[in-house]
Amino acid sequence: MDLLEYQAKDLFQKVGIPVLPSQRIDHPKDLKGLKIPYPIVLKSQVYAGGRGKAGGVRFVENTIDAVAAAQAIFYLPILGQYPEVLLAEAKYAPDRELYLAVVLDPSLRRPLLLGSREGGMELEATSRQIQQVLVDGEFSPFYARRLALKMGLTGELIESVSAIAEKMYHLFLTYDLDLVEINPLAVNPAGEVMALDGKVTVNDAALGRHPDLVAMQSGDRDSPSPAPAPAGMAHPAPLDKAPGLPNLTPMLFPGNLGILCNGAGLTMATLDLVDQAGGQPAACLNLGGESSYRLPPDTLCDRLEKGLDWILQTQRLRGVLLNLLGGSATCDAVAAAIAHYLKQQRQPLSLPLVVRLGGAHAEAARRRLAALDLPRLVVMESLDEAIAKAIALSQA
Ligand code: GDP
Ligand code: MN
């Protein structure tokens, strides 16, 4: 799961990586209440890179120009994607631009620190000069320092840049990341460093351990609009209003597997994983995160019952995968709602139902569901296994 730049920068700020004051812009008119002084930079919040070259990064000096630039950026697709929000940020005058990243070395399964003195938009051309340091033992600041030296940095930059690489490494470990990248890490004439851009990819298999990151993504802007379809799938045909599902918008695909999740990030990640595992989604419903302001004040459990009702009646399905993360509604409460729903049914389950619950009290929740001892109900702990099981059952 990728984070957008402004979400990555929220994480940076938490661990003390320097970022500029910024503000999220949901609509051009938000610029009228801007709290950052001009000049500012307006940046398209899409997952694709190369925004600078595509025209998705603009510098403006006043409100009138800012509103016009924001309108242009909202209507500018970058690699086919339109931004839902922009980031307005204080302008910085860099002297030089560096590149820093931490990735997982795919063959050695160890973290790899990467750095270059020639960061910025021309990085591809200079990628020969990216230096590497493999973290092959217990981490110590020595690894980060070695990177700074290999990058050819001198003077105070050795300390300031290695301190940032060290913080990136801690983020990488704490949040089970596949990638954390800063490009550019700007250096101003006073020698101060600043993360001007940020890219963070969370390992999908570890999402269950980080409900806070999933919530950040689906979070308070969790909207009932569908997540984009993973590559290779037919474009989803959203139903404007499915009966019995006010404010929830299902996505329909040509396959045979039904999917229910809570939160946009989790829904998107689950669809991706099902696709990668060779499954064929037929109907997918995001039940919404818990802090969803657009939904009426019903609870996740209410929405879950409606969602189950809808998905179990959807034509063409051969199986249903329920992938839910407990948060403030604990897994046990969610499991109790599923159990309550299943007990109310007059008929046995018409389809195989694979339930995967992650988060607080998941263990007790799984026991509660397993104790129902229903034929066709499968309760699993690991997401990968749950997906494999649901696909196998729907293709049986
Ligand atoms: P990307 O093209 O998608 O990687 O987007 P970036 O966020 O990296 O922005 C592109 C370029 O714009 C960067 O390489 C910087 O040179 C420049 N840039 C971004 N933010 C700022 C800023 O606050 N001040 C200045 N002067 N330049 C910036
Ligand atoms: Mn960049």
Side-chain angles (χ1 to χ4, degrees), residues 51 183-184 197:
R51 296 166 304 162
N183 186 34
D197 189 11

Side-chain angles (χ1 to χ4, degrees), residues 180-214:
V180 49
E181 181 190 85
I182 299 179
N183 186 34
L185 177 72
V187 185
N188 73 6
E192 293 158 344
V193 288
M194 188 65 72
L196 293 193
D197 189 11
K199 197 163 161 36
V200 165
T201 306
V202 191
N203 190 297
D204 287 329
L207 284 176
R209 278 201 290 271
H210 304 290
D212 48 337
L213 290 187
V214 176

Side-chain angles (χ1 to χ4, degrees), residues 100 113 133-150 157-170 173:
L100 277 187
L113 312 183
V133 172
L134 183 72
V135 182
D136 51 6
E138 199 182 324
F139 186 79
S140 81
F142 160 78
Y143 287 102
R145 238 184 117 77
R146 198 158 98 214
L147 180 74
L149 292 172
K150 274 182 111 174
L157 272 185
I158 298 174
E159 263 328 298
S160 52
V161 171
S162 59
I164 290 178
E166 207 178 315
K167 287 173 180 156
M168 290 167 76
Y169 180 82
H170 288 302
L173 280 202

Side-chain angles (χ1 to χ4, degrees), residues 29-332:
K29 70 175 184 319
D30 294 354
L31 286 158
K32 296 193 172 133
L34 197 65
K35 294 178 192 81
I36 314 161
Y38 285 92
I40 59 162
V41 54
L42 282 171
K43 307 179 76 175
S44 179
Q45 297 298 289
V46 291
Y47 295 103
R51 296 166 304 162
K53 285 189 175 162
V57 176
R58 303 247 203 136
F59 298 92
V60 287
E61 307 271 340
N62 56 55
T63 311
I64 294 176
D65 291 348
V67 171
Q71 261 154 2
I73 299 176
F74 272 116
Y75 284 102
L76 174 78
I78 297 179
L79 293 182
Q81 202 199 350
Y82 290 89
E84 283 186 19
V85 298
L86 311 186
L87 186 67
E89 198 171 75
K91 189 175 167 180
Y92 200 67
D95 217 14
R96 22 191 320 207
E97 298 192 331
L98 315 176
Y99 172 88
L100 277 187
V102 183
V103 296
L104 197 64
D105 183 289
S107 54
L108 299 168
R109 312 292 302 162
R110 299 289 312 172
L112 190 61
L113 312 183
L114 301 177
S116 168
R117 309 195 267 196
E118 319 274 348
M121 294 196 287
E122 304 303 330
L123 180 78
E124 303 250 305
T126 60
S127 54
R128 282 179 290 113
Q129 297 160 21
I130 294 185
Q131 304 298 324
Q132 308 189 350
V133 172
L134 183 72
V135 182
D136 51 6
E138 199 182 324
F139 186 79
S140 81
F142 160 78
Y143 287 102
R145 238 184 117 77
R146 198 158 98 214
L147 180 74
L149 292 172
K150 274 182 111 174
M151 286 165 70
L153 301 178
T154 53
E156 290 181 0
L157 272 185
I158 298 174
E159 263 328 298
S160 52
V161 171
S162 59
I164 290 178
E166 207 178 315
K167 287 173 180 156
M168 290 167 76
Y169 180 82
H170 288 302
L171 263 187
F172 184 84
L173 280 202
T174 313
Y175 288 101
D176 294 301
L177 305 183
D178 284 341
L179 165 82
V180 49
E181 181 190 85
I182 299 179
N183 186 34
L185 177 72
V187 185
N188 73 6
E192 293 158 344
V193 288
M194 188 65 72
L196 293 193
D197 189 11
K199 197 163 161 36
V200 165
T201 306
V202 191
N203 190 297
D204 287 329
L207 284 176
R209 278 201 290 271
H210 304 290
D212 48 337
L213 290 187
V214 176
M216 182 184 247
Q217 239 233 10
S218 45
D220 3 358
R221 358 178 257 116
D222 197 2
S223 76
S225 67
M233 280 188 188
H235 194 73
L239 299 179
D240 266 355
K241 278 199 174 47
L245 291 176
N247 296 304
L248 293 179
T249 310
M251 290 175 265
L252 299 178
F253 302 95
N256 54 23
L257 182 65
I259 300 171
L260 280 185
C261 304
N262 57 331
L266 186 67
T267 307
M268 227 188 301
T270 308
L271 266 174
D272 256 338
L273 290 172
V274 166
D275 184 46
Q276 277 165 26
Q280 293 176 327
C284 178
L285 185 65
N286 169 13
L287 297 169
E290 288 161 61
S291 51
S292 177
Y293 65 86
R294 289 201 219 174
L295 293 167
D298 54 358
T299 64
L300 174 60
C301 296
D302 293 335
R303 280 178 267 140
L304 179 60
E305 293 205 5
K306 292 198 184 93
L308 276 170
D309 244 349
W310 176 77
I311 207 136
L312 290 170
Q313 285 167 30
T314 301
Q315 303 294 313
R316 279 196 289 123
L317 296 192
R318 306 279 312 271
V320 173
L321 170 67
L322 203 58
N323 181 22
L324 300 175
L325 281 181
S328 72
T330 60
C331 281
D332 205 34

